[in-house]
Amino acid sequence: MSPLPGAFFERHEIRTESCVFRARQAVGRAMDGLQARAIRKTRIVTAASEIFRNGLIYGGGAIAVIHTDPRDAMVWIECRDEGPGIADVDQALEDGFTSGTGLGRGLGGAKRLSDRFEITSTAGQGTRIRFAARA
């Protein structure tokens, strides 16, 4: 997979709930650095929180990398884990589908909140989600 666009901003290991919190704060700071409107910031921070939490719960932990690209005022995020993978990505993106105890709106909701969204998952190798938002 090609490198994320823009310049490196921060990298976070997602190992606990507090790691999720710190990583989502970093996404907010990245949006602030691009002078994002409050609603744009809220949308991508919400998406990031969902993706990071999924990496923790279903992936057994994850790595989140954040880049900023001032040329097109975008924040790019990649979250990858080495968990069991997602058996059916299309199904996982459907509202109402859950492999746990949630409402089943997480991945699909995160996709809708993002301007760009890409997911790759391989059974036994993990999941990689790239998503982005314009400031």
Side-chain angles (χ1 to χ4, degrees), residues 53-100:
R53 188 165 282 108
N54 281 355
L56 174 63
I57 294 169
Y58 301 111
I63 302 294
V65 179
I66 305 161
H67 279 215
T68 58
D69 192 347
R71 291 172 302 168
D72 59 2
M74 296 280 280
V75 170
W76 290 86
I77 305 145
E78 180 176 280
C79 184
R80 62 185 182 275
D81 67 56
E82 295 179 354
I86 300 170
D88 186 336
V89 171
D90 291 332
Q91 183 182 36
L93 288 168
E94 290 179 13
D95 283 349
F97 175 80
T98 182
S99 58

